[in-house]
Amino acid sequence: EDPNGHDLLALKNRIAKIEENYHNDLQRERSLLRKLNEQSERVKQTLVDEINKMELQHQSKLQNLENQIVALKEKNRNLERRKQAEMNQLTQKLSSEIDKERNIATIMVEDLDEEKTRLIQEMDQLKKDYQRKLSQQKQQIDQLRQVAEDAVFYGTKAMKENNNKRNSITIPNPDDSDDDDDDDDD
């Protein structure tokens, strides 16, 4: 028996065992890489779905705020028209009453002055009330407009940040690693 032949056979067996372990480890690594790629694709899709959902919610809220502003503007216009009509009616009514009082003035001059003063104060009070209500409506519209502008600003900012995050995520292509595997087998 040749001692060198025995050592050579043992060395060949050891090399074959190392190669087998290397190929097994390589297959495990490839399998793990495929699983990680699949998981990252699932996570990526979940994130994309969440971003889309958030964008839809934002658009819905924005539309809702815009609808509220439109409704309040219409309500304010209607209130202005109604108040203007009331003012016109009151003005006509008061003017009519003043005219009646003027006709009676020849008989009751002193009473007319008192009545005229009362009517003017009443008109002034109605005008103050009308202006106060208009001011309140304008303030509400301005507040809603500010809320809508803030929502647009923060929504746009969030969408930009999401786009930046989406653009910064790079996922390795699983096909690229498979091509390398084929080269190793040759």
Side-chain angles (χ1 to χ4, degrees):
E1 284 188 26
D2 183 12
N4 288 338
H6 185 273
D7 288 344
L8 186 60
L9 182 60
L11 186 60
K12 283 183 180 179
N13 286 340
R14 188 169 172 208
I15 289 173
K17 186 68 174 171
I18 289 171
E19 284 180 350
E20 182 182 342
N21 287 341
Y22 169 77
H23 286 297
N24 287 341
D25 288 345
L26 191 61
Q27 283 181 341
R28 269 195 303 276
E29 290 293 323
R30 287 178 183 160
S31 174
L32 181 61
L33 184 61
R34 276 193 295 273
K35 286 179 183 176
L36 288 174
N37 282 337
E38 289 170 5
Q39 285 177 347
S40 69
E41 282 298 318
R42 282 194 296 271
V43 167
K44 180 181 171 185
Q45 188 57 48
T46 301
L47 288 173
V48 167
D49 291 346
E50 273 304 306
I51 289 169
N52 289 340
K53 180 179 167 186
M54 288 170 60
E55 286 175 356
L56 287 175
Q57 288 173 344
H58 169 72
Q59 290 297 328
S60 173
K61 287 178 183 176
L62 192 59
Q63 186 62 47
N64 197 7
L65 286 172
E66 288 173 359
N67 290 344
Q68 287 179 11
I69 288 172
V70 168
L72 281 172
K73 283 182 180 178
E74 183 61 28
K75 184 177 179 181
N76 191 41
R77 280 193 292 272
N78 290 338
L79 179 64
E80 284 183 42
R81 282 193 289 267
R82 194 168 62 244
K83 291 301 176 187
Q84 188 61 46
E86 287 176 16
M87 283 292 288
N88 290 341
Q89 287 175 352
L90 285 172
T91 302
Q92 289 174 357
K93 178 181 176 185
L94 293 174
S95 294
S96 170
E97 288 181 24
I98 289 171
D99 288 343
K100 288 178 187 176
E101 291 298 321
R102 281 190 187 137
N103 291 335
I104 302 172
T106 54
I107 301 169
M108 305 168 79
V109 173
E110 291 175 10
D111 291 340
L112 176 63
D113 288 339
E114 290 174 9
E115 182 64 12
K116 182 177 177 182
T117 302
R118 184 189 68 77
L119 291 174
I120 289 172
Q121 287 173 346
E122 188 177 320
M123 282 177 67
D124 287 343
Q125 187 59 46
L126 286 171
K127 187 174 182 180
K128 285 179 188 175
D129 290 346
Y130 168 72
Q131 289 173 341
R132 182 181 48 80
K133 288 177 183 178
L134 279 181
S135 175
Q136 288 173 346
Q137 285 289 320
K138 184 182 183 310
Q139 188 178 17
Q140 288 175 347
I141 288 172
D142 290 343
Q143 288 171 348
L144 277 173
R145 184 176 287 127
Q146 184 61 47
V147 167
E149 289 172 0
D150 288 349
V152 168
F153 172 78
Y154 287 110
T156 304
K157 182 178 178 183
M159 288 192 310
K160 284 180 182 177
E161 288 175 3
N162 284 337
N163 284 339
N164 288 341
K165 286 180 185 174
R166 199 181 312 160
N167 290 338
S168 69
I169 296 174
T170 56
I171 307 294
N173 189 348
D175 294 337
D176 293 344
S177 62
D178 287 338
D179 292 342
D180 294 340
D181 296 345
D182 294 336
D183 293 341
D184 291 341
D185 291 338
D186 292 339

